[in-house]
């Protein structure tokens, strides 16, 4: 059962030196209650996609096409891109919340953590009493492992991990259906990251929201997500079950990524890496954008644009990718 | 708190330096006030009287060091000496008579300019791409026009030609100073054009400064996050974006007060406004050391105090500097 | 776009300053019997009370006004760079002393200071006025540059240069300064505007060398001749307008520079859809 | 074992915190030795003092106490030291001056240290360097500005710059953490090759213990300003002795992991302004002993070049003897 | 209402605000009207008719002891506005105060003592012969009431509630406006006619608008374009009269090796087109000075007979001729003018143009007023322009122009004779004037001085400095005019302004 369906979404950044096609023809399903991992190199359009889904893009970004449909548990589907201002405000945070990469930057530095939770409650639950709001804030903070007296702290008075937790607490305030997490742990060290990932999973179990989890750390995604989508140069090149993807990647890019991570345990596998550099999104290579860096590339790759069909976008083996 | 103590120490040092420079500068001036007096009285004074007059004016031939010690001692006792131009009026009286006018005019005008300019800056950053962008070139132009030129044009158009507003004086000749409605109304009426001049000419700085910081702030994650939280635009714009963007502008605002006061010298002169600027010019023209020193001191200290207040405001507005 | 309009304005005035006096070689101070005449074929911008040709004065005055602006901006920027970069880079006691100095100059009322210093100079020509304006006008730039230097000095490439064995002089002027060029340019342009305005203000108060024809002295004479009261707008308006235009031009270039350094500042055309 | 090229002995560094609010005890009693032709890794969480150690070793900062020895001697001269020990920074986007061309970046250190005889010679040397870091065709790269290069290419330029002075020891402070995964490998391989071929002593600083396993012979783990464990990479990653190293290994993302995550929280890294007494890890340590809170554990040699600072190891060692 | 005479709005001195100071001893800061309207002098000297002296508070004066003792016979029945009678004690007190406080003694009177001879007779004794200072003694010293001033320190006293003998009393004061109303018990019966005078504060700028909009009845302002701004096509009502009150001359620094040569000064004299300067720079508001510098009309008796009709004529050829012997390279001078005096700046420009025609290069340099005062005072200039006030008779002007005692060495500030003319013959003539009370003898000395002016060219007179006076006849008539120059018409001259006020009658009478 999909809670969110993205179809053929495209986003351009207009600039004087030409349009940057940051997201091109992306289709994606997010199922109710799952964690969908979105991985890809820096600049591949992950954040842009996430912002587009939340309608958070600012000029010079423009949505060039496609649709985003939100399915409530009951009721008719919602065309997110067509929402009017008021509807959009209600959609945001009630249905969809966001946790950004660096919590230091996503929390307002001049107001307390408590008041930033309070803000959401006041706007979205107009009838709620002051006391109830305070109680709710305390409850939320405790839920993510922050003691109640920290409600009055300013963001800079909290450690990195606490800030990230606070950001998650804010995201949980209205029990949304979807939480988009854009590299929520990149700025943290591994031990704290581990704790927070654990927290996220536990909360997911409890509340049943779906997560779109964005990171460039594929091994992390493999561990935490149910399904994974790999992006390259603005396109989704492969999707699939996390385990399956790990065991048998089918896109050469996915394979390359996987074989770029040194492993902690087991035998020392040879690392492959990916030669070359990520492409310029203003003038993508023709055909498959990955072909200049692809070790399996053949003639057709530079002329034919492979489609996601159904899970991988690669011309190898008649569209089935590496086997 | 330490921060403030340190700043306070710094201000004391600066104040001392300013006081010392104030002492030195007039003494480096060419000529001396009695010569000037003689020149202006077109020789109606006999040279024999000059020595005695010098004595009466407190111009001493004592060593610079002795003069300096005397000067500091007098300052501590709050004695600024007697003005030469307005002999035998005490400098403190002259300042006390003129300062309220300047503070009233410059203060109110600056406040208006700050509030309006900052708000415009906020709005312009928020509504980029709308007609508000047109304010930018207009502000730029006003930014570059000489203060006194604007003032003269205003006097000519609204004072002499249309006769909507008086083009000189601080209040009508018919009213007697006092705290009654008639006087206050006359005062406000007379202050209109000068205030408009100061506002027009100084607002551009505020608009442009605020806009630039605001635009940068709008790109911050916490603003995007606030928007994602579904808060109303008003709240995002003011409580999140503007609230943060205003911080770096506070310091520049305090410093620019000095420039506004400088600019108001010209404005006061065009409008024959009996403020401290007119007095300063008079003092300078007549080499009235005591008066100039007193006014220098008052302006310098005012700017210092304004800076200190800005530091205080900063501490209050930015929790990161508290602790 | 902005930068182009700005540069256009500046080029116009620079050409006027460079070529104008060659095209209009007459002495701008030369008087004639035709006093206070409105614009005509003979006098495009009319004449002053003493029959001087306003256009000739504007053209010749542009050299002085812009010269004062440029010269004092060069000097002020030099000071600002020296004080700001050195203080910012070396920090410690040097910085403390230099920032106190900077702050004192920021706080001191500039106008009387300018008069004092002008009086102190043996000559009170255009150069002296420019020097004096520079002496009182460098502090702002120094402050900005110091702040920027403080942030740049912590950047890795400075550390890297140091680790590579470069000496402090080389680091300040070859590593840090080039990076600050946009800031220096911005502060330079702002100082030019400031200096032109200051010269005009000084002249207007009768405190500059009024026997030299500059836009400021033109305004002074226009005001003294009550140009507006006698309806001689052609005498009063052009100098002020020129100052404002050149200031606008400089500011536009400045914005352009800002926008190059920080693309977010650009004004954008909103696509219809996104506006809703 | 090859010769020790660069050695830090009992290095301690305290900073005065901003606006005079106490001291940051960033590095406490750290001893570290780099050997010619070998890569040593320094691993630790963000903020634990790795970069400070790097800068102490490079003598960018003077140590509060302790000393740095180059081939067993203290070196005083600023330039002389720079000629022998070089630093590579984490962020290739920030460590190259955006204003200068590649050629300038490489030629300056050579000039400063007097390796250049003429302009032609300089060009030759620059070309050689570019070749060494595989930025070919050399002609094309020589006159590029940093913004025209990709991250990996920039980091190569940064490495080439460090090599330009012909150092004997190279300190790489998280040289790849800002790079895309897909291009990290190339840079790391280059560093490895330099150590192998030119006999450079290399310190590889990272927070990614897995990459340390792959690229370093020895790994030293640091926690909150102190060293806690060291040993040959393979042995250390496969059988860590210090509870923190174990936690680090457990926490690192690993798709192959079979055991599910356990739910205990581990708290935050301590503040270096008021570090925990005793073993600095004790507040987060799952197996802390009472003594951990009061006394700093000494170094326990574990054989095969391994050692650790842990009361458990000490106790076990005592029992063995 | 008909019958009630309207108030007169007067502007004397440019000022943004007033300070409450009505102490006539003060030079600066004292508000205009203190001397003349409130306090009065012993006699009145009409500067437009040198030699004409009118009794005022004193009925007569008498010199004795070779000009070292002066006895005044005082008017009887004069009362202070607080009702106390005016007596010889007040006069003695006034002069005693000046000798006690040299800083108040602006005329530098060398008073050695005073003696009250009778309630209406007082003698003042001087250390030196003081014939020439009669104007300072009796024409320029306001007599103050002893019973009020003896309680105060006259140096710092601001006298906010002045009590005088004059035709007016202070009735209202604020920083922007003060008002005087007529003294009903004034000793001139039936006078003054103008019941109220208002003094609003006007700055130099505001006064132009004030004149244009008809707010001011009597002003003494320089108006750049008087026809447009002030007269506005109504010459019958909006009148002005600018008599000379001194002379503006071109100062050649005589310590300059080239300018000290008479033929160079002569050449300059011949080259400068004074008519044009008067017409263009001075807008025709004044007239070219007589070559002797003596103000005309009025000074006829002081002119040397042979130069009665002398006038300047431009002669470029002759000037060139005179300069033949001088190295052209040396003929380069700077002409220093105070920037705020725009008319002089314009005049300097014209002089530059004229001198260029005879091969003299002049660089005009406008400097701040105080800088100019300092430089000219110390003799650090080549050429400059400066005004010299006429005083009560041409002698004062000549003295300050030519007395060698006033010419200090270069580098020391002088108070007159800025061009540094040193000539024993000149000094002898000046001293001769001061040593006699006899008008004819005085006139003879002055004539000789005039001859020196014309022949030796110690300075080059340019034009008369005009006294500014604009007055409207819609409320009051009886103003001074060229036909009837009974007093200086400028509102800023004391006590003349009071004399003018006493002469006014309502319009239509
Ligand atoms: N304001 C902008 N103007 C022009 N191009 C932009 C803008 N913002 C982003 N881009 C470009 O769009 C592309 C996608 O950016 P995006 O932030 O979505 O990448 P990402 O996958 O989130 O990368 P990262 O992992 O670094 O966060 C990048 O190539 C980026 O350079
Ligand atoms: N110049 C300095 N002044 C004050 N404190 C400093 C300074 N440099 C570093 N510190 C502090 O010392 C501690 C160690 O910093 P260091 O940069 O060495 O950590 P790191 O391990 O390199 O971290 P990261 O992985 O984030 O680079 C930190 O708490 C830091 O705030
Ligand atoms: Mg991103
Ligand atoms: Mg680091």
């Amino acid at each position: 059962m999909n809670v969110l369906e993205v179809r053929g979404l495209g986003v351009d950044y207009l600039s004087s030196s030409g349009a940057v096609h940051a997201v091109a023809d992306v289709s994606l399903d997010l199922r109710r209650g799952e964690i969908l991992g979105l991985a890809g190199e820096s600049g591949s359009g992950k954040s842009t996609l996430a912002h587009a889904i939340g309608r958070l893009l600012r000029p010079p970004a423009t949505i060039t096409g496609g649709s985003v449909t939100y399915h409530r548990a009951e009721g008719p589907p919602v065309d997110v891109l067509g929402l009017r201002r008021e509807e959009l405000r209600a959609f945001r945070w009630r249905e969809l919340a966001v946790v950004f990469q660096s919590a230091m930057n996503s929390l307002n530095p001049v107001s307390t953590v408590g008041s930033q939770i309070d803000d959401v409650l006041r706007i979205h639950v107009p009838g709620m009493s002051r006391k109830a709001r305070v109680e709710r804030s305390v409850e939320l903070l405790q839920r993510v492992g922050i003691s109640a007296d920290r409600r009055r702290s300013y963001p800079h008075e909290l450690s990195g991990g606490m800030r990230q937790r606070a950001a998650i607490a804010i995201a949980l305030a209205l029990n949304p259906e979807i939480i988009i997490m854009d590299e929520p742990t990149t700025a943290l060290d591994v031990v704290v990251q581990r704790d927070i990932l654990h927290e996220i999973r536990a909360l997911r179990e409890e509340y049943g929201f779906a997560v779109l989890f964005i990171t460039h750390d594929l091994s992390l995604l493999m561990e935490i997500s149910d399904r994974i989508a790999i992006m390259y140069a603005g396109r989704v090149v492969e999707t699939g079950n996390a385990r399956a993807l790990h065991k048998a990647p089918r896109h050469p890019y996915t394979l390359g990524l996987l074989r770029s991570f040194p492993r902690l345990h087991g035998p020392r596998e040879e690392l492959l890496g990916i030669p070359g550099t990520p492409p310029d999104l203003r003038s993508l290579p023709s055909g498959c954008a990955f072909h200049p860096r692809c070790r399996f590339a053949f003639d057709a790759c530079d002329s034919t644009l492979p489609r996601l069909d159904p899970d991988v976008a690669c011309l190898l083996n008649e569209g089935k990718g590496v086997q | 708190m330490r921060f403030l103590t340190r700043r306070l120490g710094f201000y004391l040092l600066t104040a001392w330096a300013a006081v010392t420079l104030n002492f030195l500068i007039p003494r480096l001036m060419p000529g001396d006030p009695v010569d000037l007096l003689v020149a202006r009285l077109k020789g109606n004074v006999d040279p024999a009287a000059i020595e005695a007059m010098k004595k009466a004016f407190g111009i001493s031939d004592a060593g610079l060091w002795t003069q300096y010690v005397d000067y500091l001692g007098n300052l501590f006792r709050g004695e600024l000496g007697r003005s030469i131009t307005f002999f035998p009026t005490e400098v403190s009286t002259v300042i006390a008579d003129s300062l309220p006018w300047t503070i009233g005019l410059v203060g109110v005008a600056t406040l208006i300019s700050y509030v309006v300019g900052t708000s415009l800056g906020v709005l312009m950053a928020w509504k980029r791409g709308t007609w508000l962008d047109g304010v930018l070139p207009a502000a730029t132009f006003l930014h570059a026009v000489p203060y006194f030129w604007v003032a003269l044009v205003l006097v000519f158009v609204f004072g002499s030609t249309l006769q909507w507003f008086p083009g000189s004086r601080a209040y009508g000749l018919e009213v007697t100073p006092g705290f009654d409605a008639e006087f206050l109304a006359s005062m406000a009426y007379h202050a209109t054009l000068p205030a408009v001049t100061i506002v027009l000419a100084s607002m551009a700085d505020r608009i442009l400064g605020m806009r630039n910081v605001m635009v940068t702030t709008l790109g911050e994650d916490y603003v995007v996050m606030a928007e994602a939280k579904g808060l109303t635009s008003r709240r995002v714009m003011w409580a999140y974006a503007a609230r943060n963007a205003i911080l770096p502008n506070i310091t520049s605002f305090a410093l620019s007060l000095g420039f506004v006061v400088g600019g108001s010298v010209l404005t006061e002169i065009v409008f024959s406004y009996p403020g401290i600027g007119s007095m300063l010019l008079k003092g300078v023209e007549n080499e009235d050391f005591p008066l100039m020193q007193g006014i220098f001191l008052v302006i310098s200290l005012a700017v210092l105090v304004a800076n200190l207040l800005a530091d205080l405001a900063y501490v209050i507005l930015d929790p990161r500097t508290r602790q | 776009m902005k930068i182009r309009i700005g540069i256009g304005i500046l080029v116009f005035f620079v050409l006027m300053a460079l070529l104008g006096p060659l095209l209009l070689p007459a002495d701008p101070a030369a008087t004639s019997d035709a006093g206070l005449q409105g614009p005509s074929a003979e006098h495009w911008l009319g004449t002053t009370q003493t029959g001087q040709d306003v256009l000739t004065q504007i053209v010749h005055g542009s050299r002085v006004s812009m010269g004062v602006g440029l010269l004092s901006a060069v000097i002020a920027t030099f000071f600002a760079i020296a004080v700001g970069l050195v203080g910012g880079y070396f920090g410690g006691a040097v910085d403390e002393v230099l920032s106190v100095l900077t702050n004192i100059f920021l706080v001191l009322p500039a106008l009387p200071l300018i008069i004092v210093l002008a009086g102190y100079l043996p000559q009170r020509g255009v150069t002296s006025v420019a020097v004096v304006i520079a002496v009182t006008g460098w502090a702002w730039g120094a402050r900005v540059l110091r702040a920027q230097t403080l942030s740049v000095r912590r950047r890795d490439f400075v550390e890297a240069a140091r680790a590579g064995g470069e000496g402090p002089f080389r680091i300040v002027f070859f590593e840090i300064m080039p990076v600050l060029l946009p800031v220096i340019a911005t502060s330079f342009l702002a100082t030019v505007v400031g200096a032109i305005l200051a010269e005009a203000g000084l002249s207007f108060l009768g405190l500059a060398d009024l026997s030299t024809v500059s836009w400021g002295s033109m305004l002074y004479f226009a005001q003294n001749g009550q140009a507006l009261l006698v309806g001689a707008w052609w005498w009063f308006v052009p100098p002020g307008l020129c100052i404002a235009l050149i200031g606008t031009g400089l500011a536009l270039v400045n914005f352009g520079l800002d926008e190059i350094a920080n693309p977010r500042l650009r004004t954008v055309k909103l696509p219809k859809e996104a506006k809703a | 074992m090859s010769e020790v090229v660069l050695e830090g002995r009992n290095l301690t560094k305290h900073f005065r915190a901003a606006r005079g609010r106490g001291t940051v005890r960033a590095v406490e009693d750290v001893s570290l030795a780099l050997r010619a032709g070998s890569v040593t890794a320094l691993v630790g969480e963000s903020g634990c003092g790795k970069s400070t150690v790097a800068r102490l070793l490079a003598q960018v900062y003077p140590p509060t106490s302790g000393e740095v020895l180059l081939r067993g001697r203290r070196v005083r001269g600023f330039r002389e030291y720079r000629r022998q020990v070089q630093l590579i920074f984490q962020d290739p986007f920030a460590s190259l001056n955006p204003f200068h061309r590649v050629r300038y970046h490489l030629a300056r250190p050579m000039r400063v240290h007097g390796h250049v005889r003429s302009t032609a010679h300089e060009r030759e040397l620059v070309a050689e360097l570019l070749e060494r870091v595989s930025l070919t065709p050399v002609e094309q790269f020589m006159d590029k500005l940093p913004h025209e290069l990709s991250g990996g290419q920039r980091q190569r330029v940064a490495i080439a710059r460090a090599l330009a002075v012909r150092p004997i020891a190279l300190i790489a402070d998280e040289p790849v953490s800002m790079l895309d995964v897909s291009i990290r490998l190339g840079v790391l391989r280059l560093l490895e090759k330099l150590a192998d071929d030119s006999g450079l002593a290399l310190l590889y600083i990272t927070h990614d213990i897995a990459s340390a396993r792959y690229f370093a012979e020895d790994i030293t783990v640091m926690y909150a300003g102190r060293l806690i464990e060291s040993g040959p990479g393979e042995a250390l990653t496969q059988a860590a002795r210090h509870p923190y190293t174990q936690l680090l290994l457990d926490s690192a993302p690993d798709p192959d992991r079979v055991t599910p995550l356990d739910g205990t929280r581990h708290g935050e890294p301590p503040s270096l302004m008021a570090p925990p007494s005793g073993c600095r890890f004790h507040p987060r340590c799952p197996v802390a002993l009472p003594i951990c809170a009061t006394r700093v554990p000494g170094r326990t040699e574990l054989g095969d070049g391994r050692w650790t600072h842990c009361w458990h190891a000490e106790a076990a060692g005592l029992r063995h003897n | 209402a008909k019958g009630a005479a309207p108030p007169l709005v007067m502007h004397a001195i440019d000022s943004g605000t007033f300070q409450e100071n009505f102490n006539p001893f003060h030079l600066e800061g004292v508000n205009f009207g203190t001397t003349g309207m409130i306090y009065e002098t012993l006699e009145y000297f009409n500067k437009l008719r040198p030699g004409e002296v009118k009794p005022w508070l004193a009925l007569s004066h008498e010199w004795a002891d070779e000009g070292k003792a002066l006895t005044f016979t005082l008017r009887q029945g004069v009362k202070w506005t607080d009702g106390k009678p005016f007596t010889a004690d007040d006069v003695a007190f006034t002069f005693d105060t000046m000798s006690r406080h040299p800083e108040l003694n602006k005329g530098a009177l060398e008073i050695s003592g005073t003696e009250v001879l009778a309630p209406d007779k007082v003698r003042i004794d001087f250390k030196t012969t003081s014939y020439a200072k009669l104007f300072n003694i009796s024409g320029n010293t306001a007599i103050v009431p002893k019973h009020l001033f003896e309680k105060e320190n006259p140096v710092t006293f601001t006298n906010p509630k002045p009590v005088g003998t004059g035709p007016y009393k202070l009735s209202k004061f604020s920083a922007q406006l003060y008002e005087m109303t007529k003294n009903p018990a004034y000793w001139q019966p039936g006078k003054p006619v103008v019941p109220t005078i208002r003094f609003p504060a006007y700055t130099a700028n505001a006064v132009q608008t004030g004149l244009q909009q008809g707010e001011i009845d009597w002003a003494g302002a320089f108006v750049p374009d008087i026809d447009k701004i002030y007269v506005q096509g109504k010459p019958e009502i909006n009148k002005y009269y600018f008599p000379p009150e001194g002379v503006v001359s071109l100062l050649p620094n005589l310590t300059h090796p080239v300018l000290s040569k008479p033929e160079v000064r002569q050449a300059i004299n011949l080259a400068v087109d004074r008519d044009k300067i008067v017409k263009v720079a001075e807008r025709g508001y004044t007239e070219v000075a007589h070559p002797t510098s003596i103000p005309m009309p009025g000074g006829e008796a002081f002119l040397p007979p042979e130069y009665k009709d002398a006038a300047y004529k431009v002669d470029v050829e002759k000037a060139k001729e005179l300069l033949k012997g001088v190295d052209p390279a040396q003929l380069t001078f700077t002409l220093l003018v105070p920037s705020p005096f725009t008319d002089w700046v314009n005049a300097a420009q014209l002089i530059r143009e004229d001198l260029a025609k005879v091969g003299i290069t002049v660089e005009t340099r406008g400097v701040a007023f105080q800088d100019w005062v300092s430089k000219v005072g110390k003799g650090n200039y080549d050429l400059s322009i400066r005004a010299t006030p006429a005083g009560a008779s041409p002698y004062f002007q000549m003295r300050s122009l030519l007395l060698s005692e006033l010419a200090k060495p270069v580098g020391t500030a002088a108070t007159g004779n800025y061009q540094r003319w040193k000539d024993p013959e000149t000094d002898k003539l000046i001293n001769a004037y001061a040593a006699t009370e006899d008008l004819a003898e005085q006139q003879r000395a002055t004539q000789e001085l005039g001859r020196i002016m014309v022949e030796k060219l110690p300075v080059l007179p340019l034009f008369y400095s005009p006294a500014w006076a604009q007055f409207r006849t819609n409320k009051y008539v009886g103003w001074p005019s060229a036909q009837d120059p009974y007093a200086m018409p400028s509102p800023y001259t004391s006590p003349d302004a009071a004399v003018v006020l006493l002469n006014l009658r309502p319009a239509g009478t």
Side-chain angles (χ1 to χ4, degrees), chain B residues 150-168:
Chain B
V150 177
L152 288 168
V153 170
L154 288 181
V155 171
F156 178 67
V157 175
F158 297 102
S160 311
T161 311
L162 297 175
Q163 306 210 358
W164 288 355
F165 292 99
S168 65

Side-chain angles (χ1 to χ4, degrees), chain D residues 105-131:
Chain D
H105 279 110
L106 301 187
R108 268 312 293 174
M110 296 194 286
R111 270 183 188 275
V112 169
H113 294 282
H115 296 317
V116 194
R117 267 175 277 126
S118 64
T119 321
H121 185 226
E122 176 188 296
R123 195 183 169 80
E124 204 176 293
L125 289 177
V126 169
E128 205 179 290
L129 274 175
L130 286 173
E131 201 117 10

Side-chain angles (χ1 to χ4, degrees), chain A residues 11-15 18-23 38-51 57-61 101 182-183 214-216 231 233-234 279-282, chain C residues 263-264, chain D residues 180:
Chain A
V11 180
D12 282 359
Y13 287 99
L14 305 172
S15 76
V20 176
H21 309 291
V23 171
L38 187 59
E41 276 175 289
S42 164
S44 55
K46 307 182 294 291
S47 302
T48 309
L49 177 59
H51 280 67
L57 288 171
R58 289 256 182 75
Q101 170 166 7
D182 190 355
E183 315 210 23
I214 300 174
T215 178
H216 55 258
M231 277 187 89
D280 176 3
L281 293 185
R282 263 171 299 229
Chain C
R264 282 199 266 192
Chain D
D180 259 325

Side-chain angles (χ1 to χ4, degrees), chain D residues 193-215:
Chain D
K193 190 167 135 271
L194 288 172
D196 282 353
D197 298 355
S198 335
L200 272 174
L202 196 88
L203 179 66
Y204 170 52
I205 296 178
T206 183
H207 57 251
D208 179 8
I209 195 164
S211 72
R213 175 194 179 204
Y214 269 60
F215 289 99

